[in-house]
């Protein structure tokens, strides 16, 4: 870390860790996996300074189970991992959703499937936004695109998790975790709920016992619980959509991209403008809830001829774009996998092809 | 008339769902009585497992969390690290603890987590209708070892106490049974000691309780108790495996 006036030059992974501590997280449970190990390194040191707890768990499954226990006891708890480790945590994700425990998980994505590779990818979009674990549940998914945003969204994640009693997942990619950029610490804390009267902290003889559970054997009671969860998710969809848009007014082509590819696309917007092609960008910051309405409104624009989704996968978010566009305009896709990043030139070539009517994928 | 015995305040006034002849009820009572007698109930958080006792959170009067299959020691770790002054225990069966949750129990013990595990070993999966467990005896017939457990293809029983006793963090490890009044009294003493070990912050403590499953064993309750005393105790000898000399009552 180095100082640039009041800004601090930090690695993305370090920014996540520092943000968590500043948001009041004092319980971190991790298991080593590249490319997010710096978060654990940082926590191992910093937690001692701030009187917090760092536990290196025996597995990703144990780490998320420790988060379950700590969150159930009322703490702001976090675990972080990368794609294969996040797969292991899906059991815990489902139980946490069922038991309505607020917590924060970070996935600094690498390539898959399987052990894949350690370079950046976005192949976990489906897993992050469509489930991954069993049952009907949602995680609130935030997608940062800079180290500053990693910092800010991590702070926000704790407040959102507490507000809705959900797991808030930060879906970053390995580029963001490993890159260094200046970070300005935010002064405002992540607001806490007035009370967590549901937490298991010991009855102190003052109240009936509290129970944290996700099992409801009686089908009528379980369906009521399911409906309650769905109502909560609907409220999140109404209140929490975040999205950045660039140049949609008069755009010929609208590109959708999140995380690192969105940064590349921003340069492509300028390059295309030089050729007289007006390219707009929709960058979802919440992947769930997805900015469906914003995409749908763009599809209604007369100037817009087509959509292009640029992702580090074989085409995952593009399905949500297609659902939002709902057949009103063609939706194309440009993706790279295996840790490869698209160049500005190749994205521009795809845009040119779409303009010529040759289309992308 | 003088009151000489009453239901422990550590258990809620809810009927158990356990099968006739099952010893879970006895073990629940012992845990609850010890927590009350030590004055710990109000500051206790228990962790329920997956298995026949998945819903024992409905019975214990203390705060409870229900864990995924095998993960109770990790969940308990999370609770204890947030509430270091609380008493935290897991209540787990042999499928939960000795199969799917082996990593969690071994590492909680190795870390010396200041939690207490009540490990109820009945040598079978009860809830899912009598499958072979890691603790199933050689030759024992279950729904997934219909010809008797065969070491050649199904391996050998796991002696959990002996295994955990190799770990320095596991400071108190004892195996008891609840097949007689004498055994029940000894079991209560062991459970009390386990919670006192935690209270004193000495490290991880575990009491294994040899238990019955008449329903899935196909035995009467009395035959089941006899089978624990003969066959099970031969494989799983009673005794203290770690911490025999620990003095915790002062």
């Amino acid at each position: 870390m180095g100082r640039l006036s009041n800004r601090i030059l930090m690695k993305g992974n370090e920014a996540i860790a520092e943000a968590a501590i500043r948001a009041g997280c004092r319980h971190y449970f991790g298991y080593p996996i590249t490319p997010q190990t710096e978060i654990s390194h940082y926590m191992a040191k910093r937690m001692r300074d701030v009187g917090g707890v760092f536990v290196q768990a025996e597995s990703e499954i144990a780490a998320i189970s420790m988060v379950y226990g700590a969150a159930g006891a009322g703490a702001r708890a976090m675990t972080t991992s990368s794609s294969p480790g996040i797969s292991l945590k899906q059991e815990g994700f489902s139980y946490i959703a069922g038991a309505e425990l607020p917590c924060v998980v970070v996935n600094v994505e690498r390539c898959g499937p399987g052990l894949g590779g350690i370079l950046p990818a976005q192949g976990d979009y489906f897993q992050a936004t469509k489930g991954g674990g069993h049952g009907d549940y949602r995680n609130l998914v935030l997608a940062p695109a800079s180290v500053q945003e990693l910092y800010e969204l991590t702070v926000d994640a704790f407040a959102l998790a507490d507000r809705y009693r959900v797991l808030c997942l930060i879906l970053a990619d390995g580029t963001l975790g490993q890159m260094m950029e200046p970070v300005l610490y935010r002064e405002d804390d992540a607001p806490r709920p007035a009370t967590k009267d549901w937490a298991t902290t010991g009855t102190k003889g003052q109240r009936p016992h509290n129970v944290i559970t996700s099992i409801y054997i009686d089908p009528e009671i379980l369906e009521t619980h399911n409906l309650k969860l769905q109502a909560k998710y609907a409220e999140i969809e109404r209140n929490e959509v975040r999205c950045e848009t660039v140049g949609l007014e008069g755009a010929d082509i609208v590109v959708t991209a999140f995380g690192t590819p969105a940064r590349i696309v921003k340069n492509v917007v300028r390059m295309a403008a030089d050729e007289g092609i007006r390219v707009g960008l929709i960058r979802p910051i919440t992947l769930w809830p997805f900015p469906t309405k914003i995409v749908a409104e763009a599809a209604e624009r007369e100037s817009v001829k087509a959509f292009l989704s640029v992702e580090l996968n074989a085409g995952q978010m593009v399905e949500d774009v297609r659902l939002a566009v709902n057949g009103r305009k063609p939706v194309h896709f440009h993706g790279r996998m295996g840790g490869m990043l698209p160049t500005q030139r190749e994205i521009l070539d795809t845009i040119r092809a779409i303009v010529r009517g040759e289309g992308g994928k | 008339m003088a009151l000489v015995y009453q239901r422990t305040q550590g258990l809620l006034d809810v009927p158990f769902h356990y099968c006739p002849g099952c010893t879970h009820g006895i073990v629940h009572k012992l845990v609850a009585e010890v927590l009350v007698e030590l004055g710990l109930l109000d500051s206790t958080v228990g962790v329920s497992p997956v298995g026949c006792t998945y819903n024992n959170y409905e019975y214990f009067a203390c705060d409870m969390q229900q864990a995924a299959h095998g993960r109770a020691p990790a969940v308990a770790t999370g609770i204890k690290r947030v509430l270091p002054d609380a008493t935290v225990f897991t209540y787990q069966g042999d499928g939960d603890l000795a199969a799917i949750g082996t990593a969690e129990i071994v590492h909680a013990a190795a870390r010396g987590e200041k939690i207490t595990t009540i490990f109820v070993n009945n040598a079978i999966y009860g809830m899912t209708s009598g499958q072979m467990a890691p603790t199933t005896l050689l030759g024992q017939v279950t729904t997934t070892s219909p010809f008797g457990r065969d070491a050649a293809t199904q391996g050998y029983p796991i002696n959990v106490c002996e295994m955990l006793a190799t770990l320095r963090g596991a400071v108190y490890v004892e195996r008891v049974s609840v097949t007689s009044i004498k055994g029940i009294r000894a079991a209560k003493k062991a459970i009390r000691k386990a919670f006192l070990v935690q209270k004193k912050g000495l490290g991880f403590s575990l009491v294994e309780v040899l238990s019955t499953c008449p329903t899935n064993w196909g035995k009467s309750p009395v035959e089941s108790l006899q089978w624990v005393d003969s066959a099970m105790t031969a494989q799983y000898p009673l005794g203290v495996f770690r911490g025999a000399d620990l003095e915790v009552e002062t």
Side-chain angles (χ1 to χ4, degrees):
Chain A
M1 282 190 292
R3 285 189 175 278
L4 289 171
S5 66
N6 53 350
R7 294 185 171 201
I8 299 172
L9 188 62
M10 301 181 86
K11 207 169 188 177
N13 285 335
E14 293 173 337
I16 292 167
E18 182 59 30
I21 285 166
R22 283 170 179 265
C25 172
R26 292 293 178 273
H27 294 84
Y28 172 85
F29 307 92
Y31 183 86
I33 182 169
T34 307
Q36 61 80 55
T37 43
E38 293 87 355
I39 304 176
S40 285
H41 303 171
Y42 197 92
M43 288 300 201
K45 278 188 193 158
R46 275 283 277 151
M47 279 301 189
R48 201 169 73 165
D49 295 344
V50 298
V53 169
F54 165 84
V55 178
Q56 183 166 324
E58 62 270 29
S59 69
E60 301 294 3
I61 297 169
I64 191 71
S65 299
M66 289 173 190
V67 166
Y68 179 105
R76 281 194 159 162
M78 177 165 89
T79 183
T80 64
S81 189
S82 181
S83 307
I86 295 292
S87 293
L88 285 170
K89 290 185 194 294
Q90 294 306 318
E91 172 190 270
F93 279 28
S94 177
Y95 280 74
I96 283 166
E100 295 190 87
L101 297 176
C103 64
V104 174
V105 180
V106 180
N107 179 2
V108 184
E109 283 177 280
R110 53 189 266 180
C111 313
L115 213 43
I118 60 170
L119 290 172
Q122 296 179 322
D124 305 349
Y125 179 92
F126 284 153
Q127 183 196 55
T129 61
K130 309 295 179 194
H134 59 283
D136 285 302
Y137 74 93
R138 293 288 190 178
N139 298 319
L140 211 162
V141 185
L142 301 173
S146 67
V147 177
Q148 179 69 34
E149 211 172 42
L150 272 178
Y151 175 88
E152 292 189 1
L153 292 182
T154 302
V155 172
D156 290 349
F158 283 95
L160 288 166
D162 272 344
R163 189 177 310 149
Y164 295 104
R165 290 181 63 181
V166 291
L167 187 155
C168 192
L169 177 71
I170 297 180
L171 192 70
D173 59 65
T175 316
L176 294 166
Q178 292 298 320
M179 72 196 293
M180 292 185 83
E181 283 184 326
V183 173
L184 188 62
Y185 292 156
R186 230 168 60 178
E187 291 307 315
D188 58 318
D189 187 16
R192 285 173 187 273
T195 171
K196 291 186 178 181
D197 54 6
W198 45 265
T200 58
T201 52
T203 65
K204 311 284 190 299
Q206 303 293 312
R207 54 163 172 77
H209 76 159
N210 279 346
V211 173
I212 302 289
T213 188
S214 65
I215 184 167
Y216 300 90
I217 287 289
D218 182 322
E220 288 183 13
I221 293 173
L222 179 52
E223 190 179 48
T224 302
H225 175 63
N226 288 144
L227 290 169
K228 179 185 157 205
L229 293 181
Q230 293 305 317
K232 178 169 79 173
Y233 300 145
E235 190 188 346
I236 294 172
E237 284 184 301
R238 281 194 301 275
N239 298 341
E240 303 301 342
V241 171
R242 297 191 195 187
C243 185
E244 181 192 7
T245 59
V246 178
L248 293 183
E249 190 65 45
D252 304 312
I253 307 288
V254 173
V255 179
T256 55
F258 67 99
T260 297
R263 295 172 67 130
I264 302 171
V265 170
K266 280 187 184 174
N267 290 335
V268 176
V269 168
R270 286 190 288 272
M271 292 163 70
D274 291 343
E275 302 182 7
I277 306 172
R278 286 173 298 182
V279 175
L281 169 67
I282 296 177
R283 177 175 76 91
I285 297 171
T286 50
L287 298 181
W288 192 87
F290 187 75
T292 305
K293 202 170 154 220
I294 292 159
V295 174
E297 283 167 1
E300 294 286 349
R301 288 175 182 273
E302 211 160 304
S303 68
V304 173
K305 307 289 182 300
F307 285 76
L308 170 67
S309 194
V310 179
E311 305 172 40
L312 304 181
N313 56 44
Q316 298 195 12
M317 185 178 75
V318 67
E319 294 194 2
D320 285 327
V321 176
R322 287 200 176 104
L323 282 169
V325 170
N326 200 19
R328 283 171 284 211
K329 301 284 163 63
V331 178
H332 304 277
F333 176 72
H334 185 101
R336 297 297 299 267
M337 290 178 283
M340 299 297 288
L341 295 174
T343 62
Q344 297 167 26
R345 180 62 55 189
E346 73 184 59
I347 296 170
L348 186 59
D349 284 345
T350 298
I351 289 169
R352 287 179 185 139
I354 293 168
V355 170
R356 286 197 304 269
E358 293 166 14
K361 186 173 139 187
Chain B
M1 200 183 292
L3 185 67
V4 293
Y5 182 80
Q6 63 177 345
R7 185 185 182 88
T8 172
Q9 296 302 301
L11 291 173
L12 299 170
D13 192 7
V14 177
F16 288 144
H17 69 285
Y18 302 116
C19 302
C22 167
T23 40
H24 269 309
I26 296 171
V27 184
H28 282 26
K29 188 185 83 160
L30 297 181
V31 171
E33 283 180 352
V34 165
L35 290 173
V36 170
E37 285 164 20
L38 294 176
L40 298 174
L41 187 74
D42 290 351
S43 59
T44 293
V45 183
V47 183
S48 310
V50 170
C52 291
T53 58
Y54 79 92
N55 66 337
N56 65 14
Y57 53 77
E58 291 178 15
Y59 308 140
F60 287 110
C62 55
D63 278 0
M64 297 292 291
Q65 290 197 22
Q66 205 288 325
H69 202 17
R71 316 298 175 224
V75 171
T77 297
I79 298 167
K80 186 72 179 190
R81 296 297 185 113
V82 173
L83 305 169
D85 297 328
T87 300
V88 179
F89 76 92
T90 73
Y91 187 111
Q92 301 175 259
D94 43 275
D96 192 84
L97 181 142
I100 197 166
T102 317
E104 284 78 8
I105 194 67
V106 165
H107 287 274
R111 285 192 303 268
E113 291 296 339
K114 293 161 189 69
I115 62 172
T116 299
T117 291
I118 308 300
F119 168 42
V120 178
N121 176 4
N122 61 8
I124 206 159
Y125 284 80
M127 180 76 151
T128 45
S129 67
Q131 294 81 11
M132 183 183 69
T135 48
T136 292
L137 303 187
L138 287 179
Q140 186 181 339
V141 172
T142 71
T143 51
T144 52
S145 58
F147 312 108
R149 182 174 186 169
D150 177 5
T153 55
Q154 295 170 315
Y156 298 90
I158 294 178
N159 283 43
V160 168
C161 285
E162 289 85 335
M163 179 175 74
L164 294 180
T166 63
L167 302 169
R168 282 179 65 182
V171 298
Y172 175 58
V173 178
E174 179 164 1
R175 182 182 292 124
V176 298
S177 73
V178 286
T179 55
S180 66
I181 303 299
K182 189 182 166 201
I184 290 168
R185 291 174 72 92
K188 184 169 176 181
K189 210 173 142 196
I191 291 167
R192 179 182 170 93
K193 183 169 176 177
F195 279 113
L196 284 170
V197 163
Q198 179 179 170
K199 194 180 172 198
K200 286 181 174 285
L202 301 179
F204 177 80
S205 55
L206 177 141
V207 178
E208 174 176 343
V209 185
L210 299 185
S211 195
T212 56
C213 187
T215 300
N216 287 301
W217 290 355
K219 293 175 170 30
S220 74
V222 172
E223 287 167 352
S224 296
L225 294 172
Q226 290 163 347
W227 194 74
V228 171
D229 286 341
S230 55
M232 275 191 80
T233 314
Q235 172 67 40
Y236 303 114
L238 307 185
V240 182
F241 296 87
R242 277 298 293 273
D245 301 332
L246 278 180
E247 186 44 65
V248 290
E249 287 288 346
T250 50

